[in-house]
Amino acid sequence: MADSLVKNILRTLAQQQRPATVAREPAQSSAVDQTMSQPAPTRITQAATAELSGYPPVDRWQHWTEYDPKAWPQKISRSYTLVPTICFNCESACGLLAYVDTSTLKIQKFEGNPLHPGSRGRNCAKGPATLNQVYDPDRILYPLKRVGRRGEGKWKRVSWDEALDDIAARIRRVIVEKRLTEVIYHVGRPGHDGIMEWVLPAWGVDAHNSHTNVCSSSARCGQALWMGYDRPSPDHAHARVILLISSHLETGHYFNPHAQRIMEGKMAGAKLIVFDTRLSNTASLADEWIAPWPGSETAILLAIARHLIVTKKYDRTFVRRWVNWEEYLRHEHPDLPLRFETFEAKLEELYARYTFEFAAQESGVSVEQIAQVADYIAQCDGRLATHTWRSATSANLGGWMVARCLWFLNVLTGSIGKEGGTSANVWDKWVPRHPNMAPHVKVWNELTWPQEYPLSFYELSYLLPHFLKEQRGKIDVYFTRVYNPLWTNPDGMSWMEVLTDESKIGLHVHLSPGWSETGLFADYILPMGHGAERHDMMSQETHGGCWIAFRQPVIREALRRLGRPVDDTRKANPGEVWEETEFWIELSWRIDPDGSLGIRKTFESPYRPGEKITVDELYGWMFENHVPGLPEAAAKEGLTPLEYMRRYGAFEIRKGVQPTYDQPLAESEVEGVTVDPETRVVYTKKPAAPSSNITPVPYFQPDPERGRPIGVQLEDGSLVSGFPTPSRKLEFYSATMRDWGWPEYAIPTYVHSHVHPSKIDRERNEAILLSTFRLPTLIHTRSGNAKWLYEISHKNPVWIHPSDAQRLGVQTGDLIKVVTSIGYFVDRVWVTEGIRPGVIACSHHLGRWRLREDEGGKLSTALVELAPAGESRWQMRQVHGIKPYASADPDTERIWWEDAGVHQNLTFAVQPDPVSGMHCWHQKVRLERAGPDDRYGDIFVDTRRAHEVYREWLAMTRPASQVSPNGLRRPHWWLRPFRPDLEAYHLPGRHPGNGHIAVHAVSASDHME
Ligand code: SF4
């Protein structure tokens, strides 16, 4: 039964692969020609053979005709212009094709763009649901300014000019008064590449704050420790073994582009191995579903590594050539011969304790299954495609070690930068340089980069409320941009407390396409466009290849094609919805209207000196100058690069895997270099040429005497670029960890998670809550109010194993109280064998709420009462769920569901990993049957307790002021977005190069006493 289900799914997926090729066949005619003009019986036959396998041919995108399906059985033709854009509903950046009705200028539907190299014409449900978002009857169409107290729910409509002038004047004051850490721009998933790297440094502020530390910091940290680059790019389609620590087929990172290639790999014979404690859809399709005790993943990965080592089934040539084993021996065993064989012997010793039996004991997975998986990997022949994002890496104390040990398997099998293996993201991603880029800023923001986390991967964004409560600083202008920290982050009530305190946050500007819980506590809500209403450029490492895609406001492009061009995206969008590219240019211009602050020059046209750049000039300039191959491809069709991107929406820069680490240094680079006699690192004194591809890579400050490291000399004498690590090799041994306070983690090892079995007492009904799993159809706030998506998914019950349900005396549908360290939530249970005993799970994509009946998306939120329940305590209760209502969309009166889910994240304390800074999402909880006073959706939180838990985790850190070996805040080579100038890296009162504090200065760590 299960087998035939799998075969059916595979067959369906195989059929879905055909369109991309068929679509380009010139002989294929439109749906109108092929289907609707024939008698009914014939139509059915032809539709089955032709219509289902085609996209409209590209040469007819400008003028496309098909019958209106709603007019059936009448044959009413509709004319469309098909405009490519890219989806904004997750980070995958899949291509969309908007069908714009040329008579009404309405978007009829979205389909996939078959020319997009990442998504190849396919989308998940969230792509076509962009239509719901554009025509959402509850959306905010005009700038709003609060008129009551913050959070009181009183708004007035204001003009864009009023909002821009007010915000610009305030930012200008901050800059003029040199309060350069008092502007913060807090972004959710960016959905664009490079633009804020262009804008924020021009203002001279260290303002960037991402969501990365509630998402991917640990995965990045583990991978960067090995290779300098912080993200993988697996070539699933050509792999022999695919190892996923996440549920990529339905929800994992680069979900749709990865999913289709994982299935291609599987159909070509690859073994699919999935680590997931919960039976995800992906796990159900795996050859081996590994369901470990949460946090034990590293033990299994190290047992597999040991198996490869002791059976000598690793790629000796690759390891010898590319791993920094000499550095390891030199530092840890200076008395032993500096020979590869010595290292091999040491490897056996180091990993001797990670037997299959040890891993089985830690994880609860059988010895036989671990051995089977190890055997598959041993036979991968250099074609092991791996990926982890969120999942175990984002959930556990030491989660970064999961990513590090996963990459260890790629290293041992030599599966790096090879077809069917795994590459670094930088090799497969392209971010063109923007014009007039400002230099690095000379300021460091300790509200986002506190001294306690010298090795954090990205900003400690979710600790901001605690930092503000500790009076480490204050914020004058705070942007939240397509981000909803009050709802998405842990500990949302602490966010609400600081958002309502104007002494901590002076002005809160919320940029969003729709209502959000955070927006309720803003001073301005500025309506921003969805995926069909804005310009952006994106590139993602979706497979072995490299591409760039263009998001565009589709009505604006349709108007241009119709000979009615507009010069401002607001003129094409609903209401006064804007796009961010134009917004940031205009805001920056108003901050520095006369150019006296030096900001304006960044935003001047490269074509019209002294004039404000237009959005067409910005993207046109980048496409002309910094996308390899695009100008030539455009010229072949008689188009400019911008016209090419408007027409096709994407450009394939390169097919296939192409690593750079083994590239010989160019002759021009080799001239005058020096090679360090011990490390074999190659240095040059020549300055680096600015790169066209500004995808973030580690940066090495030039050594005053030797210059810049640019490569490494291998054993055979060749000079190659290597990896951007201090050793220029893959770093099995991290001198960075050793030198920055964590010598015990200098090599890949096993870290006990905060939810290790020894810390969970099941007799007391303690359990682990897996809170991070996604639903395929929703994505945090961004999918809010998309009616098709909420009709499909509107519940997030607590998954519980039958044995636990029996012990607690609950059945499916009963209420359960899940008690966390700072409060509790009440939800229904779903009893299922799809979860391990002792573990429960609840999706974090539901539980949206609003405080007032008419303020917020009614399709996706419950109306709640939120009230204080004593000092620092908050109680939330649902008044009602989702109900039918009258609106411009008749569908809202047809709503049949009531559930809006339960918001669990409010009840989670922050749990920052002391190394990566990642919030460790797994929760140790206690389960109780709900009492007579408990109701579905009830939430209780104590924010004083939340602050205590924050301090407990903070106490685990090893601050830069104590461990920095060179007086810097963090290793200069360690990736940091929006990297300031080296000058800003110096710890207060410490001089570069010395290892002690010269002057005691007030700093973030002083507030910890
Ligand atoms: S995976 Fe779905 S939501 Fe994400 S970009 Fe692709 S179509 Fe959009």
Side-chain angles (χ1 to χ4, degrees), residues 86-96 119 122-128 130 254-257 776 779:
I86 43 178
C87 181
F88 193 57
N89 279 335
C90 90
E91 65 284 0
S92 302
C94 298
L96 291 175
S119 56
R122 291 166 238 174
N123 298 100
C124 77
K126 301 189 287 294
T130 301
Y254 301 142
F255 144 41
N256 162 46
I779 185 152

Side-chain angles (χ1 to χ4, degrees), residues 422-573:
T422 311
S423 290
N425 69 321
V426 172
W427 304 334
D428 294 342
K429 179 178 169 91
W430 191 272
V431 180
R433 171 170 288 273
H434 283 59
N436 309 324
M437 295 275 283
H440 297 289
V441 302
K442 293 186 186 299
V443 60
W444 189 281
N445 198 334
E446 294 207 351
L447 280 177
T448 45
W449 297 94
Q451 291 185 27
E452 290 91 338
Y453 297 90
L455 299 177
S456 72
F457 251 79
Y458 289 41
E459 307 89 352
L460 271 297
S461 57
Y462 60 101
L463 301 188
L464 188 61
H466 298 285
F467 294 161
L468 291 172
K469 286 183 176 188
E470 289 176 331
Q471 299 183 337
R472 294 183 180 215
K474 62 186 173 66
I475 303 172
D476 199 10
V477 181
Y478 180 54
F479 292 97
T480 46
R481 179 265 172 182
V482 198
Y483 192 40
N484 187 6
L486 203 163
W487 188 80
T488 307
N489 284 6
D491 193 13
M493 284 297 134
S494 294
W495 278 90
M496 189 189 70
E497 288 176 349
V498 297
L499 284 171
T500 48
D501 184 343
E502 291 181 45
S503 72
K504 294 184 170 52
I505 296 176
L507 183 76
H508 175 198
V509 182
H510 187 59
L511 279 62
S512 176
W515 287 103
S516 81
E517 287 76 354
T518 301
L520 302 180
F521 297 90
D523 297 308
Y524 283 103
I525 301 181
L526 303 181
M528 292 295 161
H530 290 291
E533 300 167 336
R534 46 187 295 136
H535 290 95
D536 294 301
M537 203 175 45
M538 286 187 82
S539 171
Q540 299 292 26
E541 61 282 8
T542 52
H543 62 285
C546 188
W547 52 266
I548 187 161
F550 190 39
R551 184 177 291 124
Q552 57 183 335
V554 300
I555 303 297
R556 180 173 174 165
E557 171 59 8
L559 285 167
R560 193 189 65 79
R561 292 180 186 181
L562 294 169
R564 293 153 53 193
V566 295
D567 57 2
D568 182 323
T569 297
R570 284 172 292 185
K571 294 176 184 166
N573 280 346

Side-chain angles (χ1 to χ4, degrees), residues 215-216 218-220 223 230-232 234 236 243-248 253 258 275 297 301 386-394 399-400 402-404 406-407 422:
C215 176
S216 60
S218 271
R220 291 170 186 269
Q223 280 144 4
D230 66 343
R231 299 170 74 141
H236 292 307
L243 172 47
L244 307 174
I245 303 188
S246 184
S247 50
H248 288 68
H253 211 249
H258 270 190
F275 282 43
E297 293 82 358
L301 295 170
T386 65
H387 202 275
T388 180
W389 212 247
R390 306 192 187 96
S391 186
T393 42
S394 71
W400 49 278
V402 177
R404 194 180 186 190
L406 182 63
W407 198 252
T422 311

Side-chain angles (χ1 to χ4, degrees), residues 48 67 81 103 214 219 267 279 329 365 368 387 415 446 493 527 555 557 580 651 657 672 720 808 813 853 934 949 1005:
Y67 288 133
T81 187
S103 58
V214 294
M267 286 187 292
L279 178 59
L329 289 178
V365 178
E368 292 72 27
H387 202 275
S415 308
E446 294 207 351
M493 284 297 134
I555 303 297
E557 171 59 8
E580 284 164 59
F651 176 69
V657 173
V720 297
L808 285 159
E853 191 65 74
D934 295 321
V949 176
S1005 57

Side-chain angles (χ1 to χ4, degrees), residues 625-784:
N625 294 288
H626 291 296
V627 182
L630 174 56
E632 295 77 9
K636 268 192 203 156
E637 303 198 21
L639 301 171
T640 66
L642 179 62
E643 286 168 345
Y644 183 100
M645 294 302 280
R646 280 175 175 157
R647 180 172 295 183
Y648 301 120
F651 176 69
E652 187 162 50
I653 295 173
R654 191 198 77 231
K655 279 188 200 301
V657 173
Q658 192 172 297
T660 58
Y661 69 95
D662 54 358
Q663 297 293 308
L665 293 175
E667 258 179 54
S668 57
E669 291 177 296
V670 167
E671 193 189 341
V673 298
T674 53
V675 178
D676 184 293
E678 184 174 283
T679 65
R680 314 307 297 169
V681 173
V682 181
Y683 294 88
T684 182
K685 292 205 166 162
K686 289 184 194 162
S691 169
S692 292
N693 182 6
I694 60 164
T695 305
V697 290
Y699 177 75
F700 292 85
Q701 185 65 21
D703 179 295
E705 283 169 17
R706 295 183 293 188
R708 242 168 4 99
I710 56 164
V712 66
Q713 185 175 46
L714 299 177
E715 270 185 313
D716 59 10
S718 58
L719 303 180
V720 297
S721 61
F723 293 88
T725 55
S727 65
R728 306 300 292 195
K729 295 276 187 85
L730 289 164
E731 297 208 333
F732 166 78
Y733 178 70
S734 171
T736 304
M737 292 302 284
R738 180 199 64 201
D739 294 344
W740 284 80
W742 299 94
E744 66 270 47
Y745 297 150
I747 64 169
T749 189
Y750 181 41
V751 181
H752 274 198
S753 167
H754 64 300
V755 292
H756 187 266
S758 61
K759 295 167 186 164
I760 306 291
D761 185 350
R762 291 186 59 201
E763 295 304 311
R764 294 184 59 234
N765 286 330
E766 288 179 356
I768 302 174
L769 168 60
L770 309 188
S771 61
T772 53
F773 77 87
R774 279 176 162 186
L775 298 171
T777 41
L778 295 178
I779 185 152
H780 296 297
T781 311
R782 201 169 285 202
S783 50

